[in-house]
Amino acid sequence: MRAVFTAVVSCALFGGSVLAQAPSPAQTEADFKGAIVGFMHAIHATNNLDTTAAFYKEVFGLSSPIRPFASDGPRQLTNSPEANLRVSMLPIPGQGFNFELTEFTNTPTRTVGQQPAISDPGAPHMKFLVRDIEPVMAGVKKMGQPIITASKAPVAIKTPFGDAKAIFFRDPDGYIVEAVQIPAPADAPAGNVIGAIMGVTVRDMDADMKFWAGHLGLEPAGEKTFASDPARLDLYGVAKGGSYRTMSAVFPGSRARIEFLEFKGMPRKEFSIRVTDPGASGMAIRVKKIQDLLATLKKEGIRVSSKNGELVEWSATIHNVFIKDPNGLNLELVGTPPGVPAVPFPGTQPGRGRGAAQ
């Protein structure tokens, strides 16, 4: 990363405290300016859930039971009529959200082995903030996973909070992972992992923020200009001559953060695969007025992945749908039907997912 971040970007990525303030329990949907009213969990489809779960346990010490999940809702959501699903919902310390590992089987159209470059629009990554990067490196080496960072070693960076180290690598599905060693604040949770940030690469930061800020209500902050710091190019595994810029935001109604990256000066191609494809990624977010929002997004040309391009009636009080952001990232929108009061959804609570696995 750059030798010195600006204060605004550093605070967004690492937080003056890694733990952002939780929303007030008294907040209602009317208190939110934009469509987003909460963040539920990040999503990552695997080829073999047991293998990928073993990776995150070895490298980051994160684990959760693997369970089958009732198929009807997911089949409609992903437009996969015969798919079967297993899930492991990993609680991420410090951020108030979970990392949902999924495995879809009995899906003949499933594509395996697609691995984006970090510079490709739509390429997702998960940034884990850790106390000590050495056990992470030992775990990656033990699991035999490839390192993306050009120097193949943690890159020293400077932040207003002290010296830090970072490195990019891949998990068993080719999903991009970053580990960042930062000084742990006093209120950091126990254990090596003290936080996480969901990341995605975009094609055009200015145009794509019209979707994320204009339609969904995020308030991104960051630098407008491109930079070419050698240390950060090394970190990203990007050749000299390339450049990048970043923005980040906190999801309203949550502690969860997202980082947007944009690259230029290098070949790029859109990474956009089905929710059921190994290596696919996304996130589930709570929104208000989901019917109106979906209608608006359709008019804007946003792609809908769910069956018949329509909302799924997950329950009497919950409707949801999968769409793709302008770069191909899978987004599950979750809301309530008209006339139904908004109720807490199980996935909004740390350590819990969509509901009891079945």
Side-chain angles (χ1 to χ4, degrees):
M1 293 184 180
R2 298 176 63 184
V4 179
F5 282 145
T6 61
V8 64
V9 175
S10 296
C11 289
L13 298 186
F14 299 102
S17 164
V18 173
L19 307 182
Q21 292 298 312
S24 167
Q27 283 182 309
T28 66
E29 289 188 350
D31 296 319
F32 295 87
K33 296 179 181 179
I36 295 178
V37 297
F39 184 98
M40 294 167 56
H41 51 263
I43 304 169
H44 167 28
T46 71
N47 184 44
N48 183 297
L49 182 52
D50 300 280
T51 299
T52 303
F55 170 84
Y56 285 98
K57 183 175 183 179
E58 179 66 38
V59 176
F60 294 107
L62 303 177
S63 64
S64 182
I66 296 174
R67 299 188 176 99
F69 199 95
S71 299
D72 290 345
R75 284 173 177 173
Q76 295 181 63
L77 266 179
T78 63
N79 196 22
S80 304
E82 300 179 355
N84 297 318
L85 173 62
R86 294 196 302 156
V87 171
S88 178
M89 189 71 77
L90 304 179
I92 300 179
Q95 294 302 118
F97 72 88
N98 299 327
F99 191 25
E100 182 184 59
L101 303 180
T102 64
E103 179 192 77
F104 290 89
T105 54
N106 200 33
T107 55
T109 60
R110 189 174 73 155
T111 302
V112 180
Q114 297 191 43
Q115 298 188 8
I118 196 168
S119 55
D120 290 339
H125 73 272
M126 182 63 74
K127 179 197 300 285
F128 289 96
L129 309 179
V130 300
R131 282 187 166 84
D132 187 355
I133 207 166
E134 291 307 316
V136 173
M137 295 303 300
V140 172
K141 182 177 180 180
K142 180 178 178 179
M143 301 298 286
Q145 292 307 123
I147 293 175
I148 294 172
T149 298
S151 60
K152 308 302 180 185
V155 177
I157 58 175
K158 296 281 188 181
T159 79
F161 312 105
D163 294 335
K165 298 178 182 178
I167 192 167
F168 276 91
F169 46 89
R170 295 186 187 273
D171 78 0
D173 306 292
Y175 182 79
I176 299 171
V177 182
E178 182 184 10
V180 185
Q181 176 183 303
I182 63 170
D187 59 350
N192 197 31
V193 175
I194 57 178
I197 299 168
M198 177 74 191
V200 62
T201 301
V202 301
R203 179 184 297 101
D204 183 323
M205 191 78 73
D206 299 321
D208 293 334
M209 289 308 103
K210 294 178 181 179
F211 169 81
W212 284 98
H215 287 305
L216 297 186
L218 294 189
E219 297 182 356
E223 295 206 10
K224 299 290 186 180
T225 58
F226 284 84
S228 301
D229 179 71
R232 197 171 185 189
L233 295 178
D234 175 19
L235 174 64
Y236 288 138
V238 173
K240 293 180 179 179
S243 59
Y244 57 85
R245 59 176 173 170
T246 66
M247 297 191 78
S248 62
V250 176
F251 283 92
S254 78
R255 306 172 189 176
R257 298 179 182 275
I258 185 169
E259 175 183 278
F260 301 99
L261 306 176
E262 181 186 355
F263 295 86
K264 69 177 183 178
M266 65 200 72
R268 300 187 301 161
K269 59 181 180 180
E270 182 184 281
F271 178 72
S272 177
I273 58 180
R274 288 162 44 91
V275 178
T276 54
D277 291 338
S281 183
M283 61 190 74
I285 52 182
R286 289 199 64 191
V287 299
K288 64 182 181 182
K289 298 182 179 179
I290 190 170
Q291 285 82 2
D292 295 342
L293 176 62
L294 181 61
T296 298
L297 295 177
K298 282 183 174 181
K299 290 180 181 178
E300 295 289 331
I302 293 298
R303 293 169 285 179
V304 182
S305 305
S306 296
K307 183 179 179 181
N308 299 324
E310 300 296 338
L311 288 170
V312 174
E313 295 184 6
W314 191 269
S315 72
T317 57
I318 294 295
H319 286 180
N320 50 359
V321 65
F322 263 111
I323 66 169
K324 286 185 174 290
D325 90 333
N327 299 282
L329 182 69
N330 299 302
L331 301 178
E332 181 185 354
L333 307 181
V334 182
T336 55
V340 176
V343 295
F345 194 64
T348 63
Q349 301 302 317
R352 299 181 68 185
R354 300 173 189 275
Q358 302 177 36

